[in-house]
Amino acid sequence: MAAWTNQLQDYERDGFLVLRDFVAPTTCDELRLRAEELVQEFDPAGVISIFTTHEQSRVTDDYFLESADKIRFFFEEDAFFPNGTLKQSKEQSINKIGHALHTLDPVFRAFSHSSEVRKLVADLAIADPRLAQSMYIFKQPKIGGEVGCHQDSTFLYTEPTDIAGLWLALEDATINNGCLWAIPGGHRLGLKSRWVRAPEGGMRFDVFDSEPWPEEQLQPLEVAKGTLILLHGLLPHKSLANRSTKSRHAYTLHVISGKSRYAPENWLQPRSDSGGFARL
Ligand code: FE2
């Protein structure tokens, strides 16, 4: 208990916490295998939705905005030839799967509601914890795209801003294959922007602070397979492109409190008939 108290203090100080050996390598392998099956079953014909944080307008298509309660597949930006055909196999081209693996897929649902996850969230004392979204991120060899410095609360805004991101390394994450980088203590810098649904349709950024991030303070979080990184919703973090020959798979969950006010302008909304986000 004392150890956890110290860790919680570290989390509150830094805005992130690295939990080594959170799960066994076999658990990582089960999740990887299931993602592989899902990709094999996926028919990419007609689905060209490229995820990139550099060009948000390109992701504000219906395929993305309607994925809150679905299992959908998003491609790497560099996956296509100019004529729109894939440069390599679909297995080597997908950026991520989102955003309801935790409710719709039995394997990911079981992990997302596992005793390890429940205990961690209970230790964080998040009141009435809800799983808002899940993502399987591939960070493909050679073409895995950069994700620019951001705060998750920009996309999942709650009042208070008490969301926690759970980022599980399913493979070793290194500087070479695009590990996370974070600004220690950066969660105290305030929320810089919100990504909100515009009344006229589509999405827009509401910017509160246009100062660039002090990216010289970013530190790499190189972690071994099975490590879970806990991320405060306000923590600035990023990952660089993967130009190596090794993939960097990760599974992420975002936990919010059912007691917080969840912004109706957020892109991600629970189905109106679902009673809100999934209870943990
Ligand atoms: Fe993030």
Side-chain angles (χ1 to χ4, degrees):
M1 198 61 202
W4 174 251
T5 305
N6 290 342
Q7 287 181 313
L8 201 54
Q9 283 171 356
D10 290 350
Y11 178 60
E12 284 163 5
R13 181 192 64 213
D14 296 334
F16 66 87
L17 186 63
V18 175
L19 299 167
R20 289 179 184 81
D21 300 320
F22 184 77
V23 295
T26 49
T27 302
C28 298
D29 295 340
E30 283 164 20
L31 296 177
R32 287 191 57 186
L33 187 65
R34 182 58 189 149
E36 211 173 285
E37 288 171 359
L38 289 169
V39 171
Q40 276 166 13
E41 291 163 12
F42 164 60
D43 177 6
V47 178
I48 307 288
S49 185
I50 304 169
F51 181 82
T52 162
T53 51
H54 295 301
E55 295 179 74
Q56 285 291 357
S57 62
R58 295 181 64 180
V59 302
T60 58
D61 55 19
D62 291 345
Y63 188 76
F64 182 90
L65 292 175
E66 293 170 2
S67 66
D69 57 353
K70 298 180 180 67
I71 293 175
R72 286 193 165 172
F73 300 78
F74 302 89
F75 289 99
E76 293 284 358
E77 187 179 12
D78 289 340
F80 297 91
F81 287 118
N83 68 4
T85 58
L86 288 175
K87 291 178 184 171
Q88 46 198 359
S89 70
K90 64 180 179 182
E91 287 80 5
Q92 295 289 307
S93 303
I94 291 173
N95 168 291
K96 70 175 181 181
I97 309 174
H99 290 89
L101 287 161
H102 63 291
T103 54
L104 298 179
D105 181 78
V107 176
F108 284 98
R109 185 171 58 223
F111 171 75
S112 305
H113 292 266
S114 64
S115 55
E116 294 98 323
V117 170
R118 293 160 89 103
K119 179 170 186 318
L120 173 62
V121 173
D123 285 347
L124 286 173
I126 294 175
D128 185 18
R130 307 289 184 112
L131 293 176
Q133 71 171 14
S134 49
M135 291 185 278
Y136 189 101
I137 301 167
F138 291 84
K139 206 72 161 179
Q140 299 281 3
K142 303 285 187 189
I143 61 167
E146 175 178 345
V147 177
C149 198
H150 68 281
Q151 296 164 299
D152 291 343
S153 288
T154 290
F155 304 95
L156 299 173
Y157 182 74
T158 64
E159 291 175 350
T161 49
D162 59 354
I163 76 167
L166 278 58
W167 190 99
L168 177 65
L170 301 177
E171 298 180 288
D172 293 348
T174 67
I175 288 175
N176 283 339
N177 69 355
C179 68
L180 287 181
W181 293 66
I183 298 176
H187 59 308
R188 290 192 293 271
L189 295 172
L191 182 64
K192 271 202 192 297
S193 65
R194 283 181 58 190
W195 199 47
V196 297
R197 287 181 182 263
E200 63 274 18
M203 301 296 298
R204 66 153 195 258
F205 279 101
D206 282 352
V207 177
F208 313 122
D209 173 5
S210 57
E211 281 291 304
W213 291 110
E215 295 209 21
E216 70 284 357
Q217 295 177 28
L218 283 162
Q219 291 186 6
L221 304 180
E222 293 192 289
V223 297
K225 174 179 177 176
T227 300
L228 186 132
I229 302 177
L230 191 60
L231 298 161
H232 189 286
L234 291 175
L235 182 77
H237 60 284
K238 69 180 287 182
S239 63
L240 298 172
N242 182 7
R243 297 291 176 238
S244 80
T245 55
K246 289 186 175 154
S247 58
R248 193 231 63 193
H249 290 202
Y251 180 60
T252 72
L253 286 166
H254 282 89
V255 182
I256 60 169
S257 168
K259 302 289 183 199
S260 299
R261 176 182 175 274
Y262 186 79
E265 304 85 12
N266 288 341
W267 80 267
L268 181 98
Q269 295 295 329
R271 276 169 49 148
S272 53
D273 59 352
S274 65
F277 291 119
R279 283 198 163 80
L280 187 60

